Amino acid sequence: MADNEVLSVKMKKRGQSKEIWRRFVKNKGAVLGLAFIVLLTILALVPSLIAPYGFDEQMLSRRFKAPSLEYPFGTDEFGRDIFSRVIFGCRISLTLGLVSVTISCLIGIILGCISGYYGKVVDNIIMRFIDVMLSIPNILLAVSIVAAMGTSFFNLILAIGIGAVPGYARVVRASILSVKEQEYIEAARSNGASDWRIITRHIIPNCMAPIIVQATMSIAAAIIQGAGMSFIGLGIMPPTPEWGSMLASGRAFIRDYWWVVTFPGLAIMLTVFSINLLGDGLRDALDPRLKS
Amino acid sequence: MNDNILEIKNLVVHYVTDTTTVHAVNGMTISLKKGESLGLVGETGAGKTTTALSIMQLIPDPPGKIVSGEIRYDGQDLVAMSPAEKRSIRGNKISMIFQDPMTALNPVLTVGDQIAEVVRLHQKISRAKASIKAQEMLELVGIPGERYAEYPHQFSGGMKQRVVIAIALACNPELLIADEPTTALDVTIQDQVLDLMEKLMRDRGTSLILITHDLGVVAEICQKAAIMYAGEIVEYGTLEHIYNNTKHPYTIGLFGSIPNLNEDVDRLQPITGLMPDPTDLPQGCVFAPRCPDASEKCRAAAVPVVEVEPGHFVKCVKYHG
């Protein structure tokens, strides 16, 4: 008897995720974004299965070939297949975006929570620190971190991640300030919930909408910034195929060989666009209040 | 050891800001026996909710501050407890029902999870057992257990208040504080919710402090009533004392403001004037400026509490000596 009841509760729970999925699927743009991200993830996981050539396979006899059946995106100044390089570049860009956003998201949420929930002196100290960070241009901050720690993939991720922390901290703090005044927070306190429990179970879930928006936007921003850092030579070093560095090395030939920069650029653009679509869709689907 | 579950002695609560001090509760003394229900009646701003929050030890600090006084639950002073001890009492021994069910439930958690949460906070039981308990509680307040996994926005106002009651009673508290539990509901639902509360309290022997500005509600489910005015209790006694042997001019004024079905009157008799500014309370009796019977003696010095008959206390010079 008791087991049956537990079972029915569990089934209801599964019904909820189904419900979220149903709402998500309704949003055509979000599904499109998700499909493209899934495709990119597959490319990032097994690039060698799909790419027709290796990313560093040079052949000077086939320099600057225009896009054709043999080389779908053409070839670059070393005769490397751009299509293959774009595919291999997925892994770098996606990792960069996801890992740096995870870093900044975690630090930002922690700082924002402490600052917004406890207020007073702690809030002042954290927020003034954030202000100081905000006063440094993002690219300068990233450049100095990489310059100080040396150019490597991990340092690049760290630099970009740290640069995005202030944005999160501010967004999280602002939404916590409004959520913590709600009566259900007081009700939770009157039920004997501890600060930790109130923050993690009652406040943060209610702040998810702005956090998700901020996260998806900053994944895109991180990919672009990574590309920018590679472009100025402080990110991924050639011959590793990073989209930004492909743009950087191709820019000298833009007038005669448009495909060298166009396809990596399109890849960046489409990735960023689909992540934004996905983020919007997620935000709407996860909010139980927006049920229609 | 006495059988009082709650004793408040000389409670003084102030809200202190940079420029002013709001005297919210001024020397309140009250006690409640096990299984008894007390109606705390007063106008907006009389300090009813502040009293409730003091008992829960949830006065927002700053600006709120318990300046002096004791709040004893089962003999232990709540004011002096450590935060962890306070937490183990809240929701477990003393629960509170908030005024507006629309905002008292977390919109992103299912109602079942919210009931199960309070059970799991205070009892060491598994998630599965807690959710069964939550379903039982839902059934108990008249909501089908299958609605466990639904969100607050899928419920009507009256049903939300039932959920809130289920949360408050889930751990079998000994004392329930209901802060205007029916104010946000329409009249028919009010009645259902009150009936439900009364039944559950009687079945479980829970004591109740019902905060309201509605004397009718008090008459329905309370045994005792305390009339609050400007942070003080001006009259306290059994329903019999308060309703049939009304002493304090303020209480008399309150009853004069209620339409009577049996009498044909053109106009009600409201109490003239407004509550005194809590940042600047008058000397002597706080009600004196509005009191029809006020004399010089009232304004001169603080008024003592008089026991006019056993268990019936009035704070008015008229009955002094």
Side-chain angles (χ1 to χ4, degrees):
Chain A
M1 172 65 197
D3 286 342
N4 282 342
E5 280 181 45
V6 177
L7 208 68
S8 78
V9 170
K10 277 197 182 132
M11 280 167 66
K12 270 281 187 178
K13 290 250 161 152
R14 208 171 301 136
Q16 273 173 46
S17 42
K18 215 184 238 170
E19 183 65 22
I20 290 173
W21 176 245
R22 195 184 63 75
R23 271 179 279 157
F24 183 79
V25 171
K26 261 193 193 164
N27 185 340
K28 295 286 175 290
V31 174
L32 201 71
L34 179 68
F36 193 73
I37 305 281
V38 168
L39 177 74
L40 285 179
T41 315
I42 295 171
L43 292 183
L45 289 177
V46 285
S48 44
L49 289 186
I50 297 137
Y53 307 93
F55 64 87
D56 53 355
E57 243 175 68
Q58 302 187 9
M59 202 186 286
L60 291 179
S61 61
R62 61 174 197 210
R63 293 174 69 206
F64 297 125
K65 288 268 194 262
S68 64
L69 277 180
E70 201 181 349
Y71 306 109
F73 292 175
T75 58
D76 65 7
E77 73 271 29
F78 298 114
R80 295 176 297 197
D81 179 37
I82 292 176
F83 181 60
S84 304
R85 285 177 62 77
V86 166
I87 289 173
F88 276 99
C90 272
R91 175 179 290 176
I92 306 280
S93 293
L94 284 192
T95 316
L96 182 103
L98 288 177
V99 177
S100 70
V101 162
T102 312
I103 293 175
S104 52
C105 207
L106 284 180
I107 304 179
I109 287 180
I110 293 170
L111 287 181
C113 280
I114 297 173
S115 169
Y117 189 78
Y118 291 102
K120 296 184 212 167
V121 187
V122 192
D123 180 30
N124 238 320
I125 293 171
I126 293 178
M127 278 303 128
R128 295 300 78 76
F129 177 68
I130 296 291
D131 285 345
V132 170
M133 279 184 75
L134 276 176
S135 69
I136 307 169
N138 233 341
I139 189 89
L140 192 63
L141 188 66
V143 166
S144 356
I145 293 175
V146 171
M149 297 173 59
T151 38
S152 77
F153 186 41
F154 180 73
N155 287 347
L156 177 69
I157 289 178
L158 202 65
I160 292 170
I162 291 175
V165 166
Y168 283 99
R170 294 209 147 231
V171 166
V172 172
R173 175 179 175 268
S175 34
I176 282 185
L177 283 182
S178 71
V179 170
K180 81 167 179 179
E181 299 301 328
Q182 300 289 320
E183 201 165 50
Y184 54 82
I185 300 300
E186 195 173 22
R189 201 167 287 136
S190 81
N191 287 335
S194 59
D195 282 358
W196 168 253
R197 199 177 175 82
I198 287 173
I199 291 176
T200 53
R201 200 169 147 81
H202 294 275
I203 295 187
I204 291 182
N206 275 293
C207 302
M208 271 334 268
I211 294 175
I212 289 174
V213 174
Q214 177 79 12
T216 50
M217 285 195 348
S218 61
I219 287 184
I223 291 177
I224 290 176
Q225 211 191 340
M229 293 285 286
S230 302
F231 185 89
I232 58 173
L234 283 171
I236 309 302
M237 288 298 155
T240 315
E242 205 278 334
W243 296 338
S245 65
M246 287 168 74
L247 276 183
S249 55
R251 76 186 192 283
F253 317 109
I254 190 168
R255 194 184 289 180
D256 302 311
Y257 312 108
W258 56 268
W259 57 86
V260 181
V261 288
T262 306
F263 290 106
L266 270 179
I268 295 177
M269 194 197 90
L270 285 177
T271 309
V272 168
F273 183 56
S274 40
I275 290 174
N276 280 342
L277 285 180
L278 177 69
D280 277 1
L282 264 187
R283 180 199 55 199
D284 293 346
L286 287 177
D287 191 340
R289 285 161 293 192
L290 288 175
K291 208 173 265 187
S292 53
Chain B
M1 192 60 208
N2 51 28
D3 57 350
N4 283 342
I5 188 155
L6 185 79
E7 282 178 352
I8 302 180
K9 275 184 203 148
N10 289 319
L11 179 70
V12 179
V13 183
H14 288 175
Y15 291 105
V16 186
T17 63
D18 288 341
T19 47
T20 52
T21 300
V22 177
H23 300 258
V25 175
N26 309 308
M28 166 167 183
T29 300
I30 207 163
S31 61
L32 187 67
K33 288 192 174 62
K34 260 197 175 80
E36 216 174 40
S37 52
L38 167 80
L40 202 55
V41 188
E43 291 173 61
T44 306
K48 298 168 293 177
T49 301
T50 302
T51 309
L53 290 177
S54 314
I55 299 170
M56 297 300 294
Q57 288 294 304
L58 284 176
I59 296 275
D61 177 19
K65 212 166 172 52
I66 295 180
V67 178
S68 61
E70 288 174 8
I71 302 169
R72 292 193 173 273
Y73 164 78
D74 247 354
Q76 306 152 273
D77 191 1
L78 290 171
V79 184
M81 275 188 186
S82 75
E85 285 175 308
K86 286 175 186 172
R87 274 204 301 277
S88 71
I89 284 191
R90 282 181 207 144
N92 191 22
K93 305 281 186 197
I94 309 180
S95 304
M96 182 155 173
I97 295 177
F98 286 87
Q99 183 169 350
D100 188 356
M102 305 296 167
T103 57
L105 292 172
N106 189 335
V108 301
L109 294 179
T110 65
V111 294
D113 283 347
Q114 296 188 53
I115 302 173
E117 181 184 14
V118 63
V119 177
R120 271 169 61 78
L121 273 173
H122 297 292
Q123 294 168 14
K124 281 199 164 55
I125 61 173
S126 70
R127 208 172 280 270
K129 282 220 180 89
S131 62
I132 292 173
K133 171 87 184 162
Q135 285 185 332
E136 287 170 6
M137 287 309 299
L138 279 178
E139 299 274 357
L140 198 64
V141 296
I143 297 174
E146 301 91 69
R147 301 195 67 180
Y148 177 94
E150 290 185 19
Y151 289 94
H153 72 269
Q154 291 165 296
F155 290 82
S156 70
M159 291 188 106
K160 277 186 209 171
Q161 194 62 302
R162 284 162 190 265
V163 174
V164 172
I165 292 172
I167 293 175
L169 294 180
C171 286
N172 262 326
E174 294 184 35
L175 173 63
L176 179 70
I177 302 168
D179 185 3
E180 308 203 22
T182 55
T183 309
L185 306 174
D186 67 59
V187 190
T188 44
I189 306 299
Q190 269 187 21
D191 198 48
Q192 293 175 12
V193 168
L194 285 176
D195 284 348
L196 174 73
M197 270 176 58
E198 195 188 3
K199 183 181 158 291
L200 292 178
M201 318 272 314
R202 201 173 342 104
D203 293 351
R204 294 159 174 247
T206 316
S207 313
L208 169 74
I209 293 182
L210 177 74
I211 294 174
T212 180
H213 49 246
D214 189 339
L215 284 162
V217 170
V218 175
E220 206 168 323
I221 65 176
C222 295
Q223 288 132 28
K224 285 192 172 174
I227 313 291
M228 257 190 117
Y229 183 80
E232 291 175 7
I233 290 189
V234 292
E235 186 164 5
Y236 169 67
T238 62
L239 284 193
E240 184 69 23
H241 294 149
I242 303 284
Y243 284 71
N244 295 338
N245 193 14
T246 317
K247 289 290 184 209
H248 197 279
Y250 178 63
T251 321
I252 295 170
L254 279 185
F255 282 110
S257 314
I258 303 175
N260 192 328
L261 282 179
N262 303 324
E263 275 171 48
D264 195 17
V265 287
D266 287 337
R267 280 184 163 275
L268 291 171
Q269 300 275 309
I271 307 171
T272 52
L274 289 171
M275 278 248 286
D277 180 359
T279 62
D280 182 24
L281 290 175
Q283 287 264 309
C285 174
V286 282
F287 187 59
R290 300 170 73 182
C291 185
D293 311 331
S295 64
E296 275 312 306
K297 210 174 153 195
C298 299
R299 300 189 180 89
V303 186
V305 178
V306 187
E307 191 167 9
V308 288
E309 56 190 307
H312 186 184
F313 298 90
V314 182
K315 193 168 188 171
C316 182
V317 284
K318 276 207 302 187
Y319 307 99
H320 185 51

